Amino acid sequence: MKLFHSATSPFVRQCLVVAHELGLSERIELVPAAAHPINRDRNVVGTNPLGKIPALITDDGTALHDSRVIIDYLNELGEGDLIPRDGKERWRVLTEQSLADGMADAAVLARYETALRPEALRWREWLEGQLEKVASGLAELEAHATDFGDRVDIATIAFGTVLGYLDFRFPTLGWRDKRPNSAAWYEWFGARDSMVATRPPAA
Ligand SMILES: N[C@@H](CCC(=O)N[C@@H](CS)C(=O)NCC(=O)O)C(=O)O
């Protein structure tokens, strides 16, 4: 399998954490990608017309995206149990994953606003609106983090990778301040081999 990859993408990292957890990482060849909302990477566009990463080419040549589809695929391939199959548990975990992914979407957009958009065109309220989404997600996480126990599934992986992204791109945000439950949980989760092996480079 080939995965279009950047070490800084929280969505790519989610796929890699899943692959590590399922013992599939050796089967994935990482293809360096320069995904960018304006200067699109033509190689990525050839697999994902949206030009976004992660995008995966399976061993039989099938193109898969986005991260949720790739994760579902890897979970099935590795006969994993990272996605509950049915019942209330399934809908709860999928909704938690959706929240964590939404936080990552907002954080990536906030990053683009500050790192890519020319200064004269920046819109402070819009940036604040994205960070507000992140903050609301963090509040929800804080309310539930003590219930996570030793869960390792698509939702906890998504929360772990978005917190890692905040540490990487928004170190001054201080997300741990007044969020002791999330901080304690992440201390444990972030030390998993799968998380250590996929850490973004030093900012
Ligand atoms: N919903 C997508 C989001 C992926 C995403 O936003 N990827 C970013 C990198 S972290 C990207 O490719 N950005 C380039 C662009 O916006 O065109 C997923 O879950 O895979």
Side-chain angles (χ1 to χ4, degrees):
M1 291 175 275
K2 293 184 182 183
L3 181 71
F4 286 100
H5 170 267
S6 156
T8 63
S9 164
F11 295 102
V12 170
R13 188 179 184 197
Q14 271 194 56
C15 297
L16 292 178
V17 171
V18 165
H20 272 86
E21 292 289 346
L22 297 172
L24 295 172
S25 46
E26 301 293 307
R27 292 173 60 180
I28 298 179
E29 180 191 335
L30 302 181
V31 180
H36 186 286
I38 299 159
N39 306 321
R40 305 204 310 153
D41 181 329
R42 291 285 138 203
N43 290 328
V44 177
V45 172
T47 295
N48 175 2
L50 300 175
K52 292 188 169 193
I53 55 171
L56 184 85
I57 305 174
T58 67
D59 287 340
D60 72 4
T62 306
L64 298 182
H65 54 83
D66 60 0
S67 63
R68 288 194 217 181
V69 177
I70 295 169
I71 287 168
D72 204 339
Y73 174 78
L74 294 176
N75 189 56
E76 191 172 307
L77 187 69
E79 297 175 5
D81 57 2
L82 300 177
I83 311 172
R85 282 178 209 288
D86 47 38
K88 267 189 164 175
E89 187 64 5
R90 174 173 171 80
W91 307 120
R92 182 168 66 96
V93 168
L94 288 175
T95 302
E96 287 172 346
Q97 179 194 28
S98 163
L99 176 63
D101 280 353
M103 293 164 69
D105 274 328
V108 167
L109 290 179
R111 166 74 187 170
Y112 288 162
E113 184 70 12
T114 48
L116 298 187
R117 195 184 295 279
E119 206 158 346
L121 300 178
R122 288 183 198 159
W123 182 11
R124 191 170 49 83
E125 286 83 355
W126 191 91
L127 173 63
E128 286 168 1
Q130 298 306 323
L131 294 177
E132 191 68 26
K133 290 177 199 286
V134 173
S136 303
L138 286 169
E140 182 74 6
L141 172 61
E142 181 64 9
H144 297 286
T146 48
D147 303 331
F148 281 177
D150 58 2
R151 270 178 53 191
V152 178
D153 55 39
I154 51 164
T156 54
I157 290 170
F159 278 124
T161 53
V162 73
L163 294 178
Y165 186 73
L166 294 181
D167 278 345
F168 172 53
R169 288 299 195 202
F170 299 89
T172 57
L173 197 67
W175 67 262
R176 289 173 181 78
D177 298 348
K178 301 192 187 131
R179 297 190 188 94
N181 301 335
S182 312
W185 173 76
Y186 184 66
E187 178 105 6
W188 169 76
F189 193 84
R192 292 186 69 77
D193 288 349
S194 60
M195 289 290 287
V196 173
T198 58
R199 263 188 200 144

